[in-house]
């Protein structure tokens, strides 16, 4: 990937754009000092960096619209940014772009328990949405591992999931309405606090569109009453394949746990060392959690344990109390951090039909051996959303590239078995060139034609989602036609 | 609404198009005889009728593509048709259009219990999807009242719901992938048997787009294991408002029944006369059903009955056995038929935030009195999806128009309280002119711009969804620009 350094033309351009931005926004909402913009030069995909032209931190939908109108008129690309936790480079700047961050827009605008909805500004973090309603017994269901930091804006952009989405669905299933500003500054209201909507489902289209169709400034989210109780059970198995087969059997039996999480040996060890979760020392571990009344939990866990016993588990243990349950989840939720302490890694996000889990885990093992790299697996098994972590040493020249090669092969494998490139992290820059493996030209064309509608000049979150050559060719052709 | 009769120009045009269609399809797949096309002159919104130019009944995606390519080249509008059960005129022809019916495409293409999906041709009826898997203990969740007749194609076009969608979601929550042919004959594959999809969610966009973006020929649907058991409870109340308040309290408490159905006195009487369901003679009735193990059902119904008791029910009765449960549901599911035996009616589909139910029911009563018409209410109360039936006498001149006026006022009321024009029936021709009440010009513009992408000449299912003047102006402008 080429990231040209800012050149002389850019410097003059920058001065002009920054002064215009400063006329639109409060003084502290425009960041142009090169040292300060460095904080925005990457997101959580830290292998790629590029300082932007400037950063703006508007405080309202109106200010967002004003910035977009200006950038639209000036032909300046805009990169939307939530909390910058994207693992796929979804918030990576280009050198000629303005980063538009929603971090200052964090208000709760309305809480309506009668209709079980909350309306928030999208800079608010995922966990603090739950924080705003939990005293009254409610929660917001999607729970990405980064939920302490990640913003609702990014959750919507990537259609984020999380461990408990097996039961509650991902962001799109919990998003009822948005206020979105398109690149030309038009403010749209999509959806609302009601079932469905008349006409086309633009809300569904916008959710997961990676900030390329507009900037979502406010969101109406479904909140749910906290379940009476929840209890995880730990299941250890003698191989990844056996654990995968067990997941497949649970799903097939139609029991609906809130979560089925999977960890293989490298992850189990790292998490145990990090969180003292009480994990058994085995090849593969499942954490299966069910919710409800005590009677319901007992009933469901009974069925689940019966299925697990058919796979000769080396461990089968229900959490005895809330404290043990908390430790079990702390281990899982700190998996990425724990792995990061001992390795550099690339985290993939391929999603496959659940029945393919055993076969795909075996193939990932073989591919890793071919590349001479280690892969640790930790993921949402219930919905087939895999997160292979490819471990490598960033200080060894060529090893990042090797890891990326393995990552691409694993994702192609996911597509080959009927799955897809990404479940919840998005395409970003990371997987843009693999989109041609996922989609036929006509399918890609349909997506890009929709982009044309909302952002004819392709200024919003450029150089992402679509194969770079394809999107650049399209952009050039459109500019020539104007 | 004006529906011009076929004129001389049209007759020559028809002969030409029909002979070209006959070259593409088997002889019995093209219907042009005026007596035979009459069977397709309307859907379930029988107040509007117009015979089409011709009807084609292709047998495969390839044949659908061939027909669309031809019609695209010839500039012939195409009206897609599932089973023709639309209550909103979604399959109403225009005189110059070809009806493309998918009624012959009814095959089950793949059944995959391991991943809990089924792939079917979209002419298959809703109930026969369940029929294909029920022996193995599975079912397809969305259950429109017309499920015996309505086709999956129409369910996708309208994003259909049903009584049990409170728990299981509507079509869009149970649709994983489609094969869709766009107006120019391009075959797209959207989604698949896996969670989410990389890039934009065109699948979500297509679901509910009323056949205006393409013709969906194949669909991958989620199937679910049948619950262990289910039990309805009947609750009778002294007024609509009290019943509405009870619904609101159940939702607020966060209990999740699979269904909360509402009927007012006129409906209760008609259904009881028709189905001998054992309904009490009261002002308002709720049917609340919960599912699961016996223990779970007892637990949940306990909570629900406790809430109901706070509203002084005149009846509170659990179904004692499967037979009684069956009668209770037969009564509800035959509501439209039962009302149809004693009145002409218009069935509305407005959807509101659940907490607004009591207020809106009262306002509907006042509006009906102002118009001098009777309104019967029967609807999915749990998700706020109302189905007021406006009763009138079609033989009394001017009464249909009066009923339509009341309908429009009720739908405007739904929008006013934060709801929308349609939950599951679609906009069709029926509500197209009300879209301007629901949406600001910029919001409508965004939807129409998406239509431009998929069908630049606006040939597919014309004159629907958008206000007629607005869509015609757009179409004319685009033709002039070409």
């Amino acid at each position: 990937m080429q990231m040209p350094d800012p050149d002389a033309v850019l410097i003059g351009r920058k001065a002009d754009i920054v002064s215009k931005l400063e006329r639109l926004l409060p003084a502290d909402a425009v960041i142009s000092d090169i040292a300060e913009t460095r904080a925005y030069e990457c997101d959580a995909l830290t292998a790629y960096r590029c300082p932007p032209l400037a950063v703006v931190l508007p405080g309202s939908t109106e200010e967002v619209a004003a910035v977009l109108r200006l950038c639209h008129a000036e032909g300046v690309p805009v990169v939307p940014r939530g909390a910058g936790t994207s693992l796929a480079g979804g918030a990576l700047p280009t050198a000629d772009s303005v980063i538009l961050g929603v971090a200052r827009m964090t208000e709760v605008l309305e809480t309506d328990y009668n209709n079980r909805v909350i309306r928030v500004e999208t800079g608010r973090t995922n966990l603090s949405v739950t924080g705003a309603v939990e005293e009254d017994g409610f929660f917001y269901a999607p729970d990405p591992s980064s939920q302490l930091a990640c913003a609702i804006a990014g959750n919507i952009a990537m259609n984020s999931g999380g461990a408990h989405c097996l039961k509650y669905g991902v962001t799109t299933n919990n998003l009822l309405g948005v206020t979105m500003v398109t690149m030309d500054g038009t403010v749209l209201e999509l959806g609302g606090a009601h079932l469905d909507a008349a006409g086309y489902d633009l809300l569904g289209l916008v959710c997961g569109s990676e900030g390329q169709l507009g900037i979502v400034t406010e969101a109406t989210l479904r909140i749910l009453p906290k379940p009476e109780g929840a209890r995880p059970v730990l299941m250890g198995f003698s191989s990844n394949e056996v654990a995968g087969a067990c997941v497949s059997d649970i799903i097939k039996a139609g029991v609906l746990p809130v979560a089925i999480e999977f960890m293989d040996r490298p992850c189990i060890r790292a998490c145990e060392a990090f969180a003292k979760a009480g994990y058994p020392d085995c090849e593969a571990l499942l954490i299966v959690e069910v919710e409800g009344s005590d009677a319901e939990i007992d009933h469901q866990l009974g069925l689940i344990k019966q299925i697990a016993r058919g796979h000769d588990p080396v461990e089968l243990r229900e959490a005895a109390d809330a404290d043990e349950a908390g430790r079990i989840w702390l281990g899982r939720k700190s998996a990425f951090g724990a792995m990061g302490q001992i390795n550099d890694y690339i985290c993939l996000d391929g999603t496959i039909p659940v029945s393919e889990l055993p076969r795909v885990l075996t193939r990932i093992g073989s591919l890793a051996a071919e590349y001479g790299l280690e892969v640790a697996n930790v993921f949402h098994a219930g919905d087939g959303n895999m997160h292979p972590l490819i471990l490598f040493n960033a200080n060894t020249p060529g090893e990042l590239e090797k890891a990326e090669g393995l990552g691409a092969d694993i994702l192609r494998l996911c597509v080959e078995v009927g799955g897809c490139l990404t479940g919840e992290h998005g395409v970003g820059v990371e997987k843009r060139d693999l989109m041609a493996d996922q989609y036929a030209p006509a399918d890609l064309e349909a997506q890009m034609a929709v982009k044309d509608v909302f952002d004819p000049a392709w200024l919003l979150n450029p150089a992402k989602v679509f194969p770079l050559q394809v999107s650049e060719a399209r952009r050039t052709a459109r500019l020539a036609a104007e």
Side-chain angles (χ1 to χ4, degrees), chain A residues 64-90:
Chain A
V64 169
V67 169
L68 289 178
R69 266 194 300 273
L70 170 69
C71 291
H72 183 248
E74 299 280 345
V76 176
V78 173
V79 175
R81 183 181 173 105
T85 57
S86 171
L87 292 161

Side-chain angles (χ1 to χ4, degrees), chain A residues 87 126 142-150 160-163 261 332-337 378 380 387 424-425:
Chain A
L87 292 161
N126 174 293
D143 60 338
S145 296
S146 58
Q147 66 184 143
L148 193 63
C150 65
S160 300
E261 294 293 297
R332 166 60 185 90
K333 294 223 170 183
S334 50
F336 291 1
V378 50
H380 317 313
H387 292 312
E424 56 190 10
H425 297 176

Side-chain angles (χ1 to χ4, degrees), chain A residues 33-211:
Chain A
D33 179 80
I34 186 76
E36 290 181 66
T37 60
R38 285 230 171 269
Y40 297 87
E41 69 182 6
C42 71
D43 54 27
L45 184 72
T46 53
Y48 301 104
R49 289 163 192 274
C50 173
L53 199 72
V55 177
V56 294
L57 301 170
S60 66
T61 299
E62 294 66 36
E63 288 186 3
V64 169
V67 169
L68 289 178
R69 266 194 300 273
L70 170 69
C71 291
H72 183 248
E74 299 280 345
V76 176
V78 173
V79 175
R81 183 181 173 105
T85 57
S86 171
L87 292 161
L92 180 70
T94 52
D96 60 346
S97 66
V98 168
I99 287 261
L100 191 160
V102 292
R104 290 190 181 171
M105 298 175 61
T106 61
E107 291 297 303
V108 172
L109 303 169
E110 189 192 355
T111 309
D112 176 358
Y113 294 124
N114 286 326
N115 293 303
R116 296 197 320 210
V117 299
I118 185 171
R119 188 160 177 90
V120 298
E121 290 184 325
T122 56
R124 193 168 186 91
T125 63
N126 174 293
L127 198 60
S128 70
V129 174
T130 290
V133 295
E134 66 186 345
E135 274 193 18
D136 297 302
F138 287 80
F139 74 110
Y140 175 61
D143 60 338
S145 296
S146 58
Q147 66 184 143
L148 193 63
C150 65
I152 292 297
N155 291 183
I156 293 169
M158 298 313 188
N159 190 18
S160 300
H164 289 74
C165 289
L166 181 58
K167 179 166 180 180
Y168 296 114
V170 294
T171 300
T172 195
N173 308 113
N174 294 276
L175 177 69
L176 297 171
V178 297
T179 300
M180 181 175 89
V181 190
T182 54
M183 190 64 212
D184 63 2
T186 305
V187 178
L188 301 179
E189 294 294 336
L190 307 177
H194 50 72
L195 173 88
D196 205 8
Y200 303 159
D201 182 14
L202 297 188
L203 178 65
L205 172 68
V206 162
C207 189
S209 62
E210 308 206 7

Side-chain angles (χ1 to χ4, degrees), chain A residues 211-422:
Chain A
Q212 290 201 320
L213 305 184
I215 292 188
V216 175
T217 55
E218 299 179 13
T220 304
L221 307 171
R222 171 172 289 131
I223 50 176
L224 297 170
K226 263 194 274 192
E228 284 179 61
R231 201 187 307 154
V233 53
L234 276 179
M235 305 176 177
F237 295 96
S238 58
S239 75
N240 286 351
E241 291 73 19
V242 174
C246 182
V247 171
S248 204
D249 283 353
I250 293 171
I251 293 297
K252 191 177 167 182
V255 199
L256 189 62
V258 282
I260 305 181
E261 294 293 297
F262 184 115
M263 300 168 81
D264 67 3
R265 182 180 280 279
C267 269
I268 299 167
R269 289 198 169 157
C271 293
E272 183 58 25
F274 187 90
K276 312 279 179 258
Y279 293 163
D281 189 28
C282 58
E283 288 302 315
L285 188 69
L286 298 180
I287 306 171
V288 182
E289 182 162 272
V290 302
E291 281 183 358
S293 62
D294 260 343
E296 203 178 324
I297 290 175
D298 288 341
H299 176 75
Q300 284 197 56
L301 281 189
L303 294 172
I304 288 166
K305 289 197 292 187
Q306 195 183 336
I307 293 167
R309 281 191 202 100
H311 296 275
D312 296 324
V314 299
E315 171 95 324
L316 188 57
R317 175 159 53 92
E318 279 183 41
D321 52 35
D323 185 54
E324 187 175 1
R327 277 202 313 280
I328 288 173
W329 277 113
L330 178 65
R332 166 60 185 90
K333 294 223 170 183
S334 50
F336 291 1
M339 294 306 296
Q341 287 199 328
I342 48 178
N343 297 279
D344 299 305
Y345 67 79
I346 294 176
C347 174
L348 304 180
D349 181 40
T351 299
I352 58 170
V354 175
S355 67
E356 297 288 339
L357 272 177
R359 187 156 77 99
V360 169
L361 286 167
T362 306
R363 288 279 303 277
I364 289 176
S366 320
L367 284 169
E370 281 171 35
Y371 275 85
L373 289 169
E374 222 188 322
V375 172
N377 285 290
V378 50
F379 58 93
H380 317 313
D383 45 22
N385 188 186
M386 308 189 73
H387 292 312
L389 301 178
I390 301 175
L391 313 181
F392 69 100
N393 186 336
N395 295 321
T396 306
E399 197 147 291
L400 170 62
E401 292 70 22
K402 206 159 73 166
E404 290 181 331
L406 173 56
D409 279 354
I410 291 174
L411 292 178
R412 284 191 198 99
L413 168 63
C414 292
V415 172
E416 186 191 310
V417 302
C420 74
L421 299 172
T422 172

